[in-house]
mmCIF file of all heavy atoms in Angstrom:
data_model
loop_
_atom_site.group_PDB
_atom_site.id
_atom_site.type_symbol
_atom_site.label_atom_id
_atom_site.label_comp_id
_atom_site.label_asym_id
_atom_site.label_seq_id
_atom_site.Cartn_x
_atom_site.Cartn_y
_atom_site.Cartn_z
ATOM 1 N N ALA A 1 -21.820 -28.254 -34.759
ATOM 2 C CA ALA A 1 -22.162 -27.412 -33.668
ATOM 3 C C ALA A 1 -21.849 -25.899 -34.084
ATOM 4 O O ALA A 1 -22.655 -25.018 -33.807
ATOM 5 C CB ALA A 1 -21.236 -27.663 -32.415
ATOM 6 N N ARG A 2 -20.815 -25.662 -34.903
ATOM 7 C CA ARG A 2 -20.504 -24.348 -35.326
ATOM 8 C C ARG A 2 -21.622 -23.795 -36.266
ATOM 9 O O ARG A 2 -21.964 -22.605 -36.150
ATOM 10 C CB ARG A 2 -19.147 -24.398 -36.170
ATOM 11 C CG ARG A 2 -18.644 -23.104 -36.591
ATOM 12 C CD ARG A 2 -18.095 -22.233 -35.437
ATOM 13 N NE ARG A 2 -19.188 -21.423 -34.704
ATOM 14 C CZ ARG A 2 -18.902 -20.849 -33.637
ATOM 15 N NH1 ARG A 2 -17.789 -20.870 -33.037
ATOM 16 N NH2 ARG A 2 -19.859 -20.203 -33.027
ATOM 17 N N LYS A 3 -22.210 -24.595 -36.986
ATOM 18 C CA LYS A 3 -23.277 -24.218 -37.839
ATOM 19 C C LYS A 3 -24.568 -23.871 -37.028
ATOM 20 O O LYS A 3 -25.346 -22.974 -37.400
ATOM 21 C CB LYS A 3 -23.654 -25.320 -38.879
ATOM 22 C CG LYS A 3 -22.590 -25.495 -40.004
ATOM 23 C CD LYS A 3 -23.045 -26.549 -40.983
ATOM 24 C CE LYS A 3 -22.055 -26.708 -42.014
ATOM 25 N NZ LYS A 3 -22.418 -27.777 -43.021
ATOM 26 N N MET A 4 -24.720 -24.481 -35.865
ATOM 27 C CA MET A 4 -25.921 -24.291 -35.039
ATOM 28 C C MET A 4 -25.753 -23.101 -34.169
ATOM 29 O O MET A 4 -26.792 -22.481 -33.826
ATOM 30 C CB MET A 4 -26.130 -25.528 -34.140
ATOM 31 C CG MET A 4 -26.440 -26.830 -34.906
ATOM 32 S SD MET A 4 -26.461 -28.217 -33.760
ATOM 33 C CE MET A 4 -27.811 -27.893 -32.731
ATOM 34 N N LEU A 5 -24.652 -22.647 -33.845
ATOM 35 C CA LEU A 5 -24.383 -21.560 -32.933
ATOM 36 C C LEU A 5 -24.165 -20.212 -33.547
ATOM 37 O O LEU A 5 -23.544 -20.208 -34.614
ATOM 38 C CB LEU A 5 -23.229 -21.866 -31.946
ATOM 39 C CG LEU A 5 -23.363 -23.132 -31.033
ATOM 40 C CD1 LEU A 5 -22.052 -23.507 -30.496
ATOM 41 C CD2 LEU A 5 -24.372 -22.891 -29.982
ATOM 42 N N PRO A 6 -24.557 -19.128 -32.897
ATOM 43 C CA PRO A 6 -24.200 -17.837 -33.424
ATOM 44 C C PRO A 6 -22.705 -17.593 -33.561
ATOM 45 O O PRO A 6 -21.949 -18.238 -32.781
ATOM 46 C CB PRO A 6 -24.789 -16.824 -32.390
ATOM 47 C CG PRO A 6 -25.908 -17.631 -31.740
ATOM 48 C CD PRO A 6 -25.368 -19.088 -31.745
ATOM 49 N N ALA A 7 -22.261 -16.798 -34.431
ATOM 50 C CA ALA A 7 -20.777 -16.721 -34.710
ATOM 51 C C ALA A 7 -20.032 -16.069 -33.594
ATOM 52 O O ALA A 7 -18.863 -16.383 -33.342
ATOM 53 C CB ALA A 7 -20.562 -15.850 -35.891
ATOM 54 N N ASP A 8 -20.779 -15.346 -32.647
ATOM 55 C CA ASP A 8 -20.074 -14.674 -31.626
ATOM 56 C C ASP A 8 -20.053 -15.618 -30.286
ATOM 57 O O ASP A 8 -19.495 -15.219 -29.263
ATOM 58 C CB ASP A 8 -20.699 -13.354 -31.245
ATOM 59 C CG ASP A 8 -22.141 -13.452 -30.840
ATOM 60 O OD1 ASP A 8 -22.737 -14.557 -31.087
ATOM 61 O OD2 ASP A 8 -22.702 -12.485 -30.303
ATOM 62 N N VAL A 9 -20.628 -16.741 -30.385
ATOM 63 C CA VAL A 9 -20.558 -17.726 -29.263
ATOM 64 C C VAL A 9 -19.351 -18.614 -29.260
ATOM 65 O O VAL A 9 -19.089 -19.298 -30.292
ATOM 66 C CB VAL A 9 -21.820 -18.613 -29.263
ATOM 67 C CG1 VAL A 9 -21.661 -19.799 -28.158
ATOM 68 C CG2 VAL A 9 -23.109 -17.844 -28.919
ATOM 69 N N MET A 10 -18.423 -18.515 -28.296
ATOM 70 C CA MET A 10 -17.214 -19.220 -28.279
ATOM 71 C C MET A 10 -17.507 -20.760 -28.265
ATOM 72 O O MET A 10 -18.309 -21.182 -27.360
ATOM 73 C CB MET A 10 -16.347 -18.769 -27.155
ATOM 74 C CG MET A 10 -14.914 -19.453 -27.178
ATOM 75 S SD MET A 10 -13.874 -19.025 -25.823
ATOM 76 C CE MET A 10 -14.708 -19.751 -24.427
ATOM 77 N N LEU A 11 -16.806 -21.512 -29.104
ATOM 78 C CA LEU A 11 -17.031 -22.934 -29.106
ATOM 79 C C LEU A 11 -15.558 -23.601 -28.677
ATOM 80 O O LEU A 11 -14.564 -23.294 -29.270
ATOM 81 C CB LEU A 11 -17.283 -23.370 -30.529
ATOM 82 C CG LEU A 11 -17.522 -24.854 -30.740
ATOM 83 C CD1 LEU A 11 -18.573 -25.433 -29.872
ATOM 84 C CD2 LEU A 11 -17.916 -25.143 -32.248
ATOM 85 N N ASN A 12 -15.674 -24.277 -27.549
ATOM 86 C CA ASN A 12 -14.519 -24.808 -26.940
ATOM 87 C C ASN A 12 -14.448 -26.392 -27.071
ATOM 88 O O ASN A 12 -15.537 -27.028 -27.067
ATOM 89 C CB ASN A 12 -14.624 -24.496 -25.429
ATOM 90 C CG ASN A 12 -13.284 -24.443 -24.680
ATOM 91 O OD1 ASN A 12 -13.080 -23.682 -23.764
ATOM 92 N ND2 ASN A 12 -12.345 -25.267 -25.113
ATOM 93 N N PHE A 13 -13.308 -26.961 -27.202
ATOM 94 C CA PHE A 13 -13.171 -28.389 -27.200
ATOM 95 C C PHE A 13 -12.145 -28.854 -26.244
ATOM 96 O O PHE A 13 -11.122 -28.132 -26.040
ATOM 97 C CB PHE A 13 -12.747 -28.866 -28.648
ATOM 98 C CG PHE A 13 -12.556 -30.444 -28.685
ATOM 99 C CD1 PHE A 13 -13.605 -31.242 -28.481
ATOM 100 C CD2 PHE A 13 -11.235 -30.911 -28.779
ATOM 101 C CE1 PHE A 13 -13.398 -32.671 -28.546
ATOM 102 C CE2 PHE A 13 -11.011 -32.359 -28.969
ATOM 103 C CZ PHE A 13 -12.099 -33.216 -28.716
ATOM 104 N N HIS A 14 -12.444 -29.881 -25.468
ATOM 105 C CA HIS A 14 -11.618 -30.444 -24.387
ATOM 106 C C HIS A 14 -11.445 -31.884 -24.581
ATOM 107 O O HIS A 14 -12.289 -32.706 -24.845
ATOM 108 C CB HIS A 14 -12.378 -30.151 -23.033
ATOM 109 C CG HIS A 14 -11.758 -30.857 -21.883
ATOM 110 N ND1 HIS A 14 -10.958 -30.295 -20.853
ATOM 111 C CD2 HIS A 14 -11.862 -32.190 -21.445
ATOM 112 C CE1 HIS A 14 -10.621 -31.156 -19.985
ATOM 113 N NE2 HIS A 14 -11.173 -32.347 -20.368
ATOM 114 N N THR A 15 -10.096 -32.329 -24.440
ATOM 115 C CA THR A 15 -9.739 -33.778 -24.453
ATOM 116 C C THR A 15 -8.550 -34.039 -23.664
ATOM 117 O O THR A 15 -7.959 -33.148 -23.045
ATOM 118 C CB THR A 15 -9.571 -34.253 -25.972
ATOM 119 O OG1 THR A 15 -9.576 -35.680 -25.971
ATOM 120 C CG2 THR A 15 -8.380 -33.696 -26.611
ATOM 121 N N HIS A 16 -8.155 -35.245 -23.652
ATOM 122 C CA HIS A 16 -6.907 -35.770 -22.897
ATOM 123 C C HIS A 16 -6.075 -36.499 -23.854
ATOM 124 O O HIS A 16 -6.503 -36.989 -24.937
ATOM 125 C CB HIS A 16 -7.315 -36.671 -21.733
ATOM 126 C CG HIS A 16 -7.994 -35.875 -20.526
ATOM 127 N ND1 HIS A 16 -7.454 -35.794 -19.292
ATOM 128 C CD2 HIS A 16 -9.141 -35.196 -20.556
ATOM 129 C CE1 HIS A 16 -8.195 -35.099 -18.555
ATOM 130 N NE2 HIS A 16 -9.375 -34.678 -19.267
ATOM 131 N N GLU A 17 -4.765 -36.735 -23.442
ATOM 132 C CA GLU A 17 -3.910 -37.483 -24.258
ATOM 133 C C GLU A 17 -3.895 -38.909 -23.877
ATOM 134 O O GLU A 17 -3.017 -39.708 -24.427
ATOM 135 C CB GLU A 17 -2.474 -36.902 -24.156
ATOM 136 C CG GLU A 17 -2.243 -35.623 -24.909
ATOM 137 C CD GLU A 17 -2.073 -35.795 -26.415
ATOM 138 O OE1 GLU A 17 -2.212 -37.012 -26.840
ATOM 139 O OE2 GLU A 17 -1.963 -34.800 -27.087
ATOM 140 N N THR A 18 -4.763 -39.454 -23.125
ATOM 141 C CA THR A 18 -4.721 -40.756 -22.583
ATOM 142 C C THR A 18 -4.649 -41.810 -23.585
ATOM 143 O O THR A 18 -3.899 -42.854 -23.458
ATOM 144 C CB THR A 18 -5.991 -41.089 -21.629
ATOM 145 O OG1 THR A 18 -6.254 -39.865 -20.906
ATOM 146 C CG2 THR A 18 -5.595 -42.166 -20.615
ATOM 147 N N ALA A 19 -5.277 -41.624 -24.694
ATOM 148 C CA ALA A 19 -5.248 -42.617 -25.789
ATOM 149 C C ALA A 19 -4.241 -42.263 -26.838
ATOM 150 O O ALA A 19 -4.130 -42.973 -27.903
ATOM 151 C CB ALA A 19 -6.717 -42.778 -26.415
ATOM 152 N N GLY A 20 -3.566 -41.173 -26.721
ATOM 153 C CA GLY A 20 -2.440 -40.831 -27.595
ATOM 154 C C GLY A 20 -2.869 -39.965 -28.817
ATOM 155 O O GLY A 20 -2.058 -39.800 -29.750
ATOM 156 N N ILE A 21 -4.109 -39.494 -28.842
ATOM 157 C CA ILE A 21 -4.562 -38.809 -29.948
ATOM 158 C C ILE A 21 -5.149 -37.367 -29.608
ATOM 159 O O ILE A 21 -5.818 -36.664 -30.453
ATOM 160 C CB ILE A 21 -5.783 -39.539 -30.621
ATOM 161 C CG1 ILE A 21 -6.905 -39.796 -29.715
ATOM 162 C CG2 ILE A 21 -5.289 -40.814 -31.309
ATOM 163 C CD1 ILE A 21 -8.128 -40.475 -30.361
ATOM 164 N N GLY A 22 -4.820 -36.846 -28.408
ATOM 165 C CA GLY A 22 -5.296 -35.474 -28.006
ATOM 166 C C GLY A 22 -4.949 -34.410 -28.998
ATOM 167 O O GLY A 22 -5.788 -33.653 -29.429
ATOM 168 N N GLY A 23 -3.612 -34.296 -29.391
ATOM 169 C CA GLY A 23 -3.214 -33.255 -30.249
ATOM 170 C C GLY A 23 -3.841 -33.340 -31.614
ATOM 171 O O GLY A 23 -4.253 -32.254 -32.139
ATOM 172 N N LEU A 24 -4.012 -34.550 -32.103
ATOM 173 C CA LEU A 24 -4.693 -34.686 -33.453
ATOM 174 C C LEU A 24 -6.172 -34.335 -33.339
ATOM 175 O O LEU A 24 -6.690 -33.643 -34.226
ATOM 176 C CB LEU A 24 -4.620 -36.166 -33.884
ATOM 177 C CG LEU A 24 -5.085 -36.537 -35.244
ATOM 178 C CD1 LEU A 24 -4.510 -35.721 -36.266
ATOM 179 C CD2 LEU A 24 -4.843 -38.024 -35.492
ATOM 180 N N CYS A 25 -6.826 -34.639 -32.239
ATOM 181 C CA CYS A 25 -8.286 -34.252 -32.057
ATOM 182 C C CYS A 25 -8.386 -32.659 -31.906
ATOM 183 O O CYS A 25 -9.345 -32.097 -32.384
ATOM 184 C CB CYS A 25 -8.800 -34.928 -30.811
ATOM 185 S SG CYS A 25 -9.181 -36.667 -31.137
ATOM 186 N N TYR A 26 -7.457 -32.102 -31.212
ATOM 187 C CA TYR A 26 -7.442 -30.617 -31.074
ATOM 188 C C TYR A 26 -7.332 -29.938 -32.422
ATOM 189 O O TYR A 26 -8.100 -29.020 -32.751
ATOM 190 C CB TYR A 26 -6.386 -30.147 -30.075
ATOM 191 C CG TYR A 26 -6.753 -30.126 -28.670
ATOM 192 C CD1 TYR A 26 -5.819 -30.587 -27.773
ATOM 193 C CD2 TYR A 26 -7.981 -29.717 -28.176
ATOM 194 C CE1 TYR A 26 -6.108 -30.657 -26.389
ATOM 195 C CE2 TYR A 26 -8.257 -29.796 -26.815
ATOM 196 C CZ TYR A 26 -7.429 -30.262 -25.986
ATOM 197 O OH TYR A 26 -7.710 -30.188 -24.596
ATOM 198 N N LYS A 27 -6.403 -30.487 -33.272
ATOM 199 C CA LYS A 27 -6.286 -29.905 -34.569
ATOM 200 C C LYS A 27 -7.504 -30.046 -35.430
ATOM 201 O O LYS A 27 -8.007 -29.220 -36.102
ATOM 202 C CB LYS A 27 -5.117 -30.585 -35.276
ATOM 203 C CG LYS A 27 -4.687 -29.858 -36.607
ATOM 204 C CD LYS A 27 -3.321 -30.331 -37.083
ATOM 205 C CE LYS A 27 -2.880 -29.615 -38.345
ATOM 206 N NZ LYS A 27 -3.674 -29.971 -39.503
ATOM 207 N N SER A 28 -8.215 -31.255 -35.294
ATOM 208 C CA SER A 28 -9.427 -31.506 -36.006
ATOM 209 C C SER A 28 -10.507 -30.595 -35.575
ATOM 210 O O SER A 28 -11.219 -30.070 -36.430
ATOM 211 C CB SER A 28 -9.889 -32.985 -35.751
ATOM 212 O OG SER A 28 -8.991 -33.957 -36.395
ATOM 213 N N ALA A 29 -10.569 -30.351 -34.282
ATOM 214 C CA ALA A 29 -11.586 -29.408 -33.775
ATOM 215 C C ALA A 29 -11.429 -28.037 -34.306
ATOM 216 O O ALA A 29 -12.342 -27.296 -34.595
ATOM 217 C CB ALA A 29 -11.542 -29.409 -32.227
ATOM 218 N N ILE A 30 -10.111 -27.608 -34.263
ATOM 219 C CA ILE A 30 -9.749 -26.205 -34.743
ATOM 220 C C ILE A 30 -10.150 -26.037 -36.223
ATOM 221 O O ILE A 30 -10.753 -25.103 -36.653
ATOM 222 C CB ILE A 30 -8.300 -25.957 -34.480
ATOM 223 C CG1 ILE A 30 -7.985 -25.800 -32.945
ATOM 224 C CG2 ILE A 30 -7.884 -24.678 -35.248
ATOM 225 C CD1 ILE A 30 -6.519 -25.768 -32.694
ATOM 226 N N GLU A 31 -9.765 -27.082 -37.022
ATOM 227 C CA GLU A 31 -10.156 -26.998 -38.487
ATOM 228 C C GLU A 31 -11.614 -27.067 -38.678
ATOM 229 O O GLU A 31 -12.098 -26.539 -39.724
ATOM 230 C CB GLU A 31 -9.486 -28.189 -39.179
ATOM 231 C CG GLU A 31 -7.963 -28.045 -39.185
ATOM 232 C CD GLU A 31 -7.198 -29.283 -39.727
ATOM 233 O OE1 GLU A 31 -7.832 -30.408 -39.721
ATOM 234 O OE2 GLU A 31 -5.991 -29.235 -40.079
ATOM 235 N N ALA A 32 -12.356 -27.636 -37.776
ATOM 236 C CA ALA A 32 -13.869 -27.714 -37.907
ATOM 237 C C ALA A 32 -14.586 -26.397 -37.421
ATOM 238 O O ALA A 32 -15.795 -26.270 -37.625
ATOM 239 C CB ALA A 32 -14.440 -28.893 -37.168
ATOM 240 N N GLY A 33 -13.821 -25.480 -36.764
ATOM 241 C CA GLY A 33 -14.386 -24.247 -36.245
ATOM 242 C C GLY A 33 -14.319 -23.909 -34.815
ATOM 243 O O GLY A 33 -14.951 -22.937 -34.408
ATOM 244 N N ALA A 34 -13.606 -24.796 -34.003
ATOM 245 C CA ALA A 34 -13.499 -24.462 -32.582
ATOM 246 C C ALA A 34 -12.695 -23.210 -32.428
ATOM 247 O O ALA A 34 -11.751 -22.943 -33.120
ATOM 248 C CB ALA A 34 -12.836 -25.556 -31.949
#
């Protein structure tokens, strides 16, 4: 998604901790460009 969008378009990621992996997914999203 980051490659598809202009650099000035904010890219947001949303998840929940219900399955116990929310923090890990947030870190993955940040490292990918969120």
Side-chain angles (χ1 to χ4, degrees):
R2 185 70 278 170
K3 290 180 178 179
M4 295 171 66
L5 295 169
D8 61 345
V9 172
M10 185 178 70
L11 182 54
N12 202 151
F13 177 65
H14 166 103
T15 191
H16 290 242
E17 284 287 359
T18 321
I21 56 176
L24 183 55
C25 285
Y26 276 137
K27 189 169 184 291
S28 295
I30 291 169
E31 291 172 342

